[in-house]
Amino acid sequence: MAVPIEMFRTRMQATSSASATGVFRDTLNGLSEMVSAEGYRSLWRGLSLTLWRDVPFSAFYWWGYEYGKDGLAEMRDRRRGRHETQSTPGARRASRSRSEEKHSQVLIDSFIAGASSGAIAAFVTTPFDVGKTRQQVLRHSPDAGSSHARGVATNGVRSEDKSMPRFIWHIFKTEGTAGLFKGWAARCLKVAPACAIMISSYEIGKKMAGGMNERKDMRDQNYNQFDDL
């Protein structure tokens, strides 16, 4: 659903204009011309490129977030001097520890785990982001057919028109590891706080909603006991 917005953002960043208003107008006009010539399906042209970046990112992020949050909870339990028996399953210990956490603890743990896992996932998937950005920008640029002769292979196919794995391999052969991870610092600085704010807001909202439901259940039980009397 967000692919057209992602395409608009990518083309807007690649457009050069004297003012921000001009960049927005030029990008919007370019998308309108593309839709008029190729139909609305052209707005989803970068879907496969986006999936190549976002699917691995989500896998790394959610695994790292859960692992990091459980690790922070276990560290806090050890500092408190809790000694769980080996017969207690780890998942049940983590669930019980989380249910006893205060709102401030939930906020801190989710923020740290979200920022850390987001930064790591962003760094690991930077090659896919580099490949996606280059392919989308060069494919949709007005002078894509003439000004990028350096990307044309011997068989007449531009490197940017190759599949994502072959294009990433081409970048590695021509520019090395530095080319694959170009812009990794800026990407991590953008993704880490965004992930931290998103997941901590979600966890706090879930904690507050759970507390409201528990209080409602307790009131219902008290009302039922009163009716029985």
Side-chain angles (χ1 to χ4, degrees):
M1 294 297 293
V3 172
I5 301 176
E6 177 70 14
M7 179 181 290
F8 181 83
R9 180 191 67 81
T10 302
R11 295 186 63 165
M12 188 172 180
Q13 289 179 335
T15 302
S16 58
S17 181
S19 63
T21 305
V23 170
F24 185 88
R25 184 176 59 253
D26 292 343
T27 305
L28 194 61
N29 291 337
L31 288 177
S32 299
E33 293 175 0
M34 183 181 68
V35 171
S36 300
E38 305 177 33
Y40 286 100
R41 293 184 62 181
S42 61
L43 292 175
W44 279 266
R45 185 176 294 165
L47 175 61
S48 61
L49 302 177
T50 303
L51 292 177
W52 270 106
R53 180 195 64 182
D54 291 352
V55 172
F57 175 86
S58 297
F60 280 108
Y61 171 72
W62 289 110
W63 173 80
Y65 173 71
E66 291 296 333
Y67 183 85
K69 192 167 66 168
D70 288 344
L72 291 172
E74 291 178 1
M75 289 175 58
R76 185 166 50 251
D77 289 345
R78 286 196 296 268
R79 286 200 303 267
R80 291 173 178 172
R82 292 182 180 177
H83 302 283
E84 300 286 352
T85 60
Q86 295 182 353
S87 61
T88 305
R92 200 167 70 190
R93 288 200 307 268
S95 176
R96 184 172 63 194
S97 177
R98 291 180 185 177
S99 64
E100 297 173 356
E101 289 176 347
K102 299 178 181 179
H103 286 74
S104 59
Q105 294 173 343
V106 172
L107 176 63
I108 294 173
D109 288 358
S110 59
F111 195 92
I112 294 175
S116 302
S117 60
I120 294 173
F123 176 78
V124 172
T125 57
T126 295
F128 295 108
D129 186 62
V130 170
K132 169 193 164 299
T133 302
R134 291 192 184 184
Q135 286 188 344
Q136 279 192 323
V137 169
L138 294 179
R139 284 179 182 179
H140 304 306
S141 59
D143 54 350
S146 58
S147 64
H148 297 287
R150 63 179 178 82
V152 179
T154 55
N155 59 359
V157 179
R158 289 188 308 151
S159 58
E160 291 81 11
D161 293 328
K162 297 179 180 179
S163 63
M164 179 65 80
R166 295 181 63 186
F167 182 49
I168 290 178
W169 177 246
H170 170 78
I171 296 175
F172 176 73
K173 289 194 302 182
T174 56
E175 303 178 34
T177 305
L180 288 177
F181 288 90
K182 186 175 294 182
W184 68 267
R187 175 168 163 77
C188 292
L189 288 174
K190 183 198 78 169
V191 172
C195 289
I197 294 172
M198 179 274 295
I199 197 63
S200 59
S201 300
Y202 167 76
E203 292 288 359
I204 285 294
K206 185 174 71 173
K207 182 77 172 178
M208 294 176 63
M212 293 173 62
N213 291 332
E214 289 179 0
R215 289 191 295 271
K216 181 178 180 299
D217 292 339
M218 292 180 62
R219 287 197 301 269
D220 292 341
Q221 291 178 1
N222 293 333
Y223 290 149
N224 293 334
Q225 292 176 358
F226 181 77
D227 292 339
D228 293 338
L229 296 177

